[in-house]
Amino acid sequence: MLIEQWLKGGSRRSLLKGLGVAAVGLSLGGVLDACTKGAGAPSTIRIPGGEGPKLNFYNWDTYIGKTTLGDFRALSGVDVNMSLFATNDELFAKLRAGNPGYDVIVPSNEFVTQMAEAGLIEPLDHARIPNFENIAPEFRNPSFDPGRKYSMPYTWLVSGIGYRKSKVDGVPDSWKWLFDSDRYKGRIAIGSEAADIIRLGAKYLGHSLVGVTPEVAKQVEAMMIRQKRNIKTFHEDDGQNLLLAGDVDLVHEFNGDIAQVMKEDADIGFVVPKEGSLLNSDGLCIPKGAPRPNNAHAFINYLLDAKAGAEISQTILYPTPNAAARALMPASYKDNPVIFPPSDALMKCEFGRFEGSEKQHMFEEIMTRIRAA
Amino acid sequence: MDQHWSQARRVFAALFTPPALFLLAFFLVPIGIVWLYSFGQNVSLTEIAVTGTTANYTRALAPLYLGILAKSAWMAAAVTGLCLIAGFPVALAIAFASPRLKIWLLLMVMLPFWTNLLIRTYALIAVLRDEGYVNQGLKLGWALAATLGTHTSAFQPLELIYNNFAVMFGLVYVQLPFMVLPLYAALDRMDRSLLEASLDLGAGHLRTLWSIVLPLAMPGVVSGVVITFIPTVGAFLTPDLLGGPDSQMISNVIERQFKRANDWPFGAALSFVLMYLTFAGVALQALARRRIGARG
């Protein structure tokens, strides 16, 4: 899978790397020194429980700060051993048969719900994660994990429309151009994730992303079957590359992915459609049977620290839910309208929620029917 | 040399046991578990109860999935036919080449195997895409022709990727060696004196090819068809990467059951429907072989 990731030009995690890394790196040092002196950053982290200086961290590729793990070892003495997964399916399949020894994992929002329901992750002890107060209020009580019982927010993303400015009229700020119009026939690519397509179709038709009924799903199916002849392909989360290569002019993708190619090509834009869209968020969780839960809590708390969070954002340049960390970042990051779309656009967006296997099977079968039609 | 295995039981046992155990532990047992899953149902997100239900097969045999199966079989048949048409002349040329050249030609046929399928498929994307090498080349030609004043319209790239043509092209490219090699093996063994006799007795080259070469190559054709057709029916990478919204094949559906849908029992039932059909195909091949054998 690694080679596939590489050939596709990196996963959505590896994006944004080019996005002003140099500028951020130059200006951040001084800012951090100034800010953290007053904040009283810990000089050492003492972890009760005596689990030994080790921690197994199962993470996405290129999804951690350059010095984060080294800094944590310097503070706590705990040596973090990081291994990588490429998709949530892979993570779920690996833990399905029993935890092979991971202490901290990073599933996306819907998988947080799914894994909690399957009993694959442990509730977190909030008393041991005081840095939770750094998190922006809108990420503190999400529908997919009420009260943040199982997960701490690490990053977030929003899907929208990436487009080639010179090939479209104005800003294509509606899902209509992707789902319900032949205006851009043959120049459209849509993601291949069944649940995302059907829920976004429902959103376009004026319904919520959550609780899509079979009737609404049926309407979306009919619409997508009508639209199919105008769609060039269902992409495998590499829509930004199709847009960059000129294969399509409109693509359904995550903001982070489009922000990366915008760096290479000024003719590319991104918009969160006016009907609203789907929010995603990756969370830090402790899998059931984790051998070192105390170290895991300390590590999660450290990742939510303002300075540590800024160091991570500086490397991965993904939208951060950490308000304190964002405050430490330069304007090129924190005021970037693609990384942080305007709040009136985000107001209409919702987190996707895992709503049980039956629904997932229904979505998959609808997608099979759309493709077979 | 023609010693019967029962005359050397110990040697036979020593040689046969390790691979047999390996097959049992890593092929038959896992596939048996998947077979059991196909009669099971999801009781939770991670647990499957084998209840003996046939609901998964009922669902797998619904018109939706049978249609996709038929489409996959049709695609595979077309790919196999194209491979046969393209592969036969190649195999013939290799069989009749000088021994020195033969080695190089065979190497050229096998060379693509040294590169991972995924990388070859991505290379095809670079060739076929709208701004790919083919369309770039055509665009250049178009621009040159425009300077000569033949036309003034803008170049429209050919739609070579994200459709069924691309999937078929990719599959033929990948499967061709599997057709050429058995054909070559059959043609190379052919008794050349039969060809001389045919030509001496007044038959033309085409007549000789049709009445002598082709029947003699028939076992190679049958093997080639089977080992091209079976993997093609089960292809999922090529339709995934090169296909458009219409290019779904049965293995793409199966893959999604095991991953995104997290519905292993249904995925298992679909896999086994495909496998039963494959067994039927192999049985037909064995019958065809026997008939050819009886005739020869």
Side-chain angles (χ1 to χ4, degrees):
Chain A
M1 289 319 285
L2 278 176
I3 203 154
E4 186 178 4
Q5 291 285 330
W6 171 74
L7 282 160
K8 279 182 180 177
S11 67
R12 63 184 168 97
R13 318 285 143 175
S14 63
L15 309 173
L16 299 175
K17 268 191 162 167
L19 207 102
V21 176
V24 174
L26 283 176
S27 58
L28 198 64
V31 178
L32 282 182
D33 283 348
C35 290
T36 48
K37 264 172 198 149
S43 53
T44 55
I45 299 172
R46 259 185 287 278
I47 306 168
E51 291 166 339
K54 225 188 125 187
L55 180 86
N56 288 326
F57 181 35
Y58 199 30
N59 191 16
W60 303 84
D61 196 7
T62 58
Y63 217 41
I64 190 81
K66 267 198 201 85
T67 62
T68 309
L69 301 182
D71 292 348
F72 182 65
R73 185 175 52 202
L75 286 169
S76 67
V78 171
D79 203 1
V80 178
N81 168 34
M82 185 170 76
S83 38
L84 307 173
F85 62 91
T87 65
N88 280 302
D89 301 310
E90 185 187 338
L91 172 67
F92 188 82
K94 196 136 187 182
L95 289 170
R96 192 182 150 122
N99 182 359
Y102 299 118
D103 297 301
V104 177
I105 58 174
V106 195
S108 301
N109 46 322
E110 286 168 51
F111 278 79
V112 169
T113 319
Q114 190 174 336
M115 293 178 106
E117 216 167 275
L120 296 178
I121 48 180
E122 296 279 2
L124 299 173
D125 180 3
H126 282 228
R128 285 193 272 171
I129 311 176
N131 282 335
F132 184 51
E133 70 180 33
N134 290 335
I135 298 302
E138 62 266 33
F139 294 99
R140 286 190 191 174
N141 189 23
S143 57
F144 62 84
D145 182 18
R148 285 284 174 194
K149 193 174 171 204
Y150 292 100
S151 67
M152 284 293 147
Y154 187 57
T155 56
W156 64 276
L157 336 102
V158 60
S159 43
I161 301 174
Y163 59 97
R164 184 161 288 283
K165 292 174 188 165
S166 58
K167 296 283 179 67
V168 297
D169 303 327
V171 176
D173 63 347
S174 168
W175 289 116
K176 179 182 174 181
W177 306 121
L178 292 187
F179 296 159
D180 200 15
S181 159
D182 60 1
R183 173 108 157 249
Y184 300 110
K185 185 173 168 56
R187 313 298 303 157
I188 299 168
I190 292 175
S192 57
E193 185 80 68
D196 288 2
I197 292 184
I198 292 152
R199 291 183 300 184
L200 286 173
K203 192 85 182 165
Y204 165 67
L205 295 175
H207 304 278
S208 170
L209 285 170
V210 181
V212 174
T213 61
E215 293 72 43
V216 172
K218 200 88 206 150
Q219 282 175 22
V220 174
E221 180 186 335
M223 177 173 77
M224 295 309 299
I225 288 173
R226 263 202 321 275
Q227 181 69 357
K228 202 172 81 165
R229 63 199 163 83
N230 300 322
I231 296 172
K232 183 143 186 173
T233 188
F234 294 113
H235 66 75
E236 303 281 329
D237 200 10
D238 61 344
Q240 72 277 15
N241 297 337
L242 297 178
L243 188 61
L244 186 64
D247 285 335
V248 294
D249 295 328
L250 287 128
V251 65
H252 153 225
E253 253 304 350
F254 294 108
N255 57 337
D257 292 349
I258 300 299
Q260 182 213 13
V261 291
M262 282 172 75
K263 185 77 188 158
E264 293 173 46
D265 188 341
D267 194 27
I268 289 174
F270 176 85
V271 62
V272 177
K274 61 184 180 209
E275 294 90 359
S277 185
L278 181 71
L279 291 172
N280 279 50
S281 176
D282 292 330
L284 300 160
C285 298
I286 301 182
K288 198 174 190 81
R292 301 167 199 89
N294 296 330
N295 288 355
H297 276 95
F299 182 59
I300 290 175
N301 188 54
Y302 176 72
L303 294 182
L304 299 190
D305 174 69
K307 190 178 168 185
E311 154 66 19
I312 293 164
S313 298
Q314 185 190 350
T315 309
I316 69 176
L317 287 164
Y318 246 68
T320 177
N322 190 325
R326 185 179 167 187
L328 298 179
M329 295 293 286
S332 64
Y333 170 85
K334 68 179 174 191
D335 298 333
N336 186 322
V338 173
I339 299 178
F340 295 101
S343 59
D344 55 326
L346 291 178
M347 286 288 278
K348 295 185 201 127
C349 298
E350 296 171 86
F351 277 109
R353 210 189 308 176
F354 176 69
E355 299 175 64
S357 305
E358 290 306 313
K359 198 135 216 179
Q360 186 65 22
H361 298 169
M362 179 182 94
F363 288 153
E364 290 296 336
E365 184 151 292
I366 288 173
M367 193 64 196
T368 303
R369 279 205 293 272
I370 291 170
R371 284 175 179 253
Chain B
M1 290 302 284
D2 261 351
Q3 202 177 16
H4 195 254
W5 67 270
S6 57
Q7 287 168 276
R9 275 174 201 281
R10 272 183 206 190
V11 178
F12 180 78
L15 289 174
F16 183 73
T17 310
L21 284 178
F22 186 88
L23 267 181
L24 184 74
F26 297 111
F27 176 68
L28 289 175
V29 169
I31 220 164
I33 292 171
V34 176
W35 184 72
L36 287 177
Y37 280 164
S38 73
F39 295 100
Q41 58 191 62
N42 296 297
V43 286
S44 76
L45 283 167
T46 52
E47 291 155 306
I48 296 163
V50 179
T51 54
T53 176
T54 53
N56 299 313
Y57 284 99
T58 315
R59 194 175 152 209
L61 294 172
L64 170 63
Y65 296 101
L66 283 184
I68 297 167
L69 206 58
K71 192 208 155 149
S72 309
W74 181 86
M75 283 286 281
V79 166
T80 308
L82 288 172
C83 281
L84 187 58
I85 291 167
F88 198 86
V90 175
L92 205 59
I94 299 175
F96 283 91
S98 69
R100 261 181 75 92
L101 190 59
K102 202 179 264 185
I103 290 171
W104 286 105
L105 290 173
L106 279 175
L107 194 70
M108 277 169 67
V109 171
M110 284 187 279
L111 207 59
F113 283 135
W114 298 0
T115 311
N116 184 287
L117 168 65
L118 196 64
I119 291 173
R120 280 183 283 153
T121 308
Y122 274 99
L124 269 188
I125 293 180
V127 172
L128 297 176
R129 70 192 328 168
D130 281 9
E131 309 263 327
Y133 302 130
V134 171
N135 274 317
Q136 292 286 5
L138 288 174
K139 196 174 174 181
L140 203 68
W142 189 265
L144 280 177
T147 57
L148 301 175
T150 54
H151 59 83
T152 52
S153 55
F155 174 73
Q156 283 297 324
L158 295 180
E159 294 196 3
L160 299 175
I161 197 170
Y162 306 126
N163 49 37
N164 289 330
F165 161 79
V167 176
M168 209 171 281
F169 185 86
L171 286 171
V172 168
Y173 164 63
V174 166
Q175 298 295 342
L176 198 56
F178 291 103
M179 184 61 91
V180 169
L181 294 177
L183 283 178
Y184 161 75
L187 290 170
D188 199 44
R189 278 199 310 260
M190 192 170 51
D191 186 350
R192 304 290 158 89
S193 56
L194 294 174
L195 303 187
E196 286 162 21
S198 167
L199 293 171
D200 282 349
L201 293 172
H205 278 93
L206 277 178
R207 180 72 201 268
T208 304
L209 195 68
W210 188 253
S211 307
I212 309 294
V213 177
L214 198 60
L216 285 174
M218 218 48 199
V221 172
V222 173
S223 312
V225 163
V226 168
I227 62 170
T228 307
F229 184 84
I230 292 174
T232 310
V233 166
F236 69 96
L237 191 86
T238 313
D240 238 11
L241 295 180
L242 300 179
D246 261 335
S247 307
Q248 156 177 273
M249 286 172 72
I250 191 67
S251 294
N252 301 114
V253 180
I254 294 173
E255 188 210 5
R256 289 208 295 273
Q257 302 312 317
F258 283 99
K259 291 172 91 181
R260 286 170 184 172
N262 194 32
D263 192 353
W264 290 25
F266 181 55
L270 276 176
S271 310
F272 270 90
V273 167
L274 184 60
M275 210 176 309
Y276 298 142
L277 292 175
T278 308
F279 285 148
V282 174
L284 279 178
Q285 182 225 11
L287 278 178
R289 270 245 168 99
R290 200 170 298 169
R291 250 209 330 256
I292 291 165
R295 211 171 43 194

